[in-house]
Amino acid sequence: MIGGLLAGLVVALWFLVADTVAGHPFRTPALLAGVLLNREFTEVTFRLIAVYTVLHFGVFAVLGVGMAWVSAAFTAPPRLLLALGFGVLLQEATFYVGLLLLHAPHLGVIAWPHVVGANIAAGLVLMGYLHYAEHDPRPMRFTALRDHPVLARGAINGLIGAAVVAVWFFVLDLVTGNPFRTPAALGSALLLGASGPGEVVATFGLVAVYTVVHVAAFVVAGVVFVALAEQVERVPAMALLVLLTAILLEGLFLATIGVGAQWVLGTVGWLPVAVANALAVVAMGWQVWRTHPTLQRRLLEHPQLRV
């Protein structure tokens, strides 16, 4: 709980400094309190800030307890990876999902770079505290990820896939003269339940939230991809199963969009989506192939398994 409170303090101090520099002290908690209470406050009062601050630290205390439990579940927890997960995924999701549930007028009520920066800083502080509190003798740096090679390689693999898809659609959107149209459409459908192009909310806040979801999904896929590849290293006959699984997941992804938000495919296009996913699979597959010489040797020794 102490770690969560420290993380909450970091976020509070971040926005206090940002608001003060901008000439509007306590503007952020006042705005968020207004969203929470569904009212627009014309002036910042001590009571308003106090009420929101109690809620703020309460949420962070709960998140801190949860992350302490997750950290304790590992024999050698990858704390830097968990810090990024806490800051970029858990806190981002909690913040923006909260705004959605409270029917905030727009997700960009707080500038997203500040949200991301504050959350990453909070995640690092929380994991730093847990590292100290648990008397972990290992250094808290990225070399600690060597204890979890599948997670580390999988995260990198997923980030590569996410970047390939993001760049592909960014270029397509620029060419058509509608920057960020694709993430805005997908984010509106996924997060806001938009039922048509007219309901697309093209804001940085929504794009930021969708980007977090996008990256998180690819990181999970990357970890699964690497884990399967390492199984193929041990049992080459699983290569065909891995290929069939990839094809099935691709079909499931397209079918899900087609059934749940068909208008998105009409807006973005079936072909660009299929090409984006194919490029991601190729990029992630090449990364796995490049970093797994044993896999190369096993498959080359069994030419009948090559696809």
Side-chain angles (χ1 to χ4, degrees):
M1 186 173 73
I2 295 177
L5 294 176
L6 288 175
L9 179 62
V10 168
V11 172
L13 290 176
W14 178 291
F15 283 107
L16 176 61
V17 172
D19 291 345
T20 302
V21 170
H24 302 285
F26 302 106
R27 172 181 175 272
T28 297
L31 283 174
L32 293 176
V35 171
L36 178 64
L37 301 174
N38 197 25
R39 288 181 56 189
E40 185 174 346
F41 296 95
T42 57
E43 61 178 313
V44 177
T45 65
F46 174 79
R47 179 180 297 180
L48 181 66
I49 300 303
V51 170
Y52 179 77
T53 299
V54 170
L55 176 64
H56 169 83
F57 280 102
V59 170
F60 270 93
V62 172
L63 294 177
V65 170
M67 287 306 296
W69 179 81
V70 171
S71 178
F74 289 89
T75 303
R79 289 204 172 88
L80 279 179
L81 189 61
L82 290 176
L84 293 177
F86 178 79
V88 178
L89 301 180
L90 181 59
Q91 287 181 248
E92 293 283 304
T94 301
F95 178 74
Y96 285 110
V97 168
L99 290 182
L100 289 172
L101 293 177
L102 293 170
H103 304 289
H106 54 89
L107 294 178
V109 62
I110 305 298
W112 69 267
H114 281 300
V115 175
V116 174
N119 286 340
I120 290 176
L124 292 173
V125 168
L126 171 60
M127 287 302 140
Y129 170 79
L130 293 177
H131 189 80
Y132 168 79
E134 295 175 9
H135 305 290
D136 194 332
R138 299 175 305 124
M140 185 178 168
R141 56 176 186 257
F142 281 108
T143 53
L145 292 179
R146 293 172 185 169
D147 297 332
H148 308 273
V150 173
L151 288 178
R153 287 197 290 265
I156 293 172
N157 194 267
L159 290 174
I160 290 173
V164 167
V165 173
V167 170
W168 167 260
F169 281 114
F170 180 69
V171 171
L172 287 183
D173 290 345
L174 280 182
V175 170
T176 59
N178 297 293
F180 302 108
R181 178 194 63 166
T182 299
L186 291 170
S188 296
L190 177 65
L191 302 173
L192 302 180
S195 58
E199 298 180 15
V200 172
V201 179
T203 65
F204 278 111
L206 181 63
V207 172
V209 177
Y210 177 74
T211 300
V212 171
V213 175
H214 169 81
V215 171
F218 268 96
V219 167
V220 172
V223 172
V224 172
F225 203 175
V226 169
L228 288 174
E230 296 193 358
Q231 286 297 318
V232 173
E233 281 185 330
R234 303 182 187 94
V235 186
M238 288 186 63
L240 182 59
L241 177 61
V242 172
L243 176 64
L244 293 175
T245 301
I247 294 173
L248 177 63
L249 291 176
E250 175 71 8
L252 182 62
F253 171 78
L254 293 174
T256 300
I257 294 182
V259 173
Q262 188 173 2
W263 66 269
V264 174
L265 288 176
T267 301
V268 178
W270 284 88
L271 183 59
V273 171
V275 171
N277 283 277
L279 290 174
V281 169
V282 170
M284 294 167 71
W286 172 250
Q287 173 67 10
V288 168
W289 181 263
R290 187 181 67 83
T291 56
H292 289 75
T294 302
L295 177 65
Q296 299 177 28
R297 187 169 60 255
R298 288 292 181 87
L299 292 182
L300 292 175
E301 288 173 355
H302 297 77
Q304 70 275 16
L305 296 176
R306 279 181 277 172
V307 291

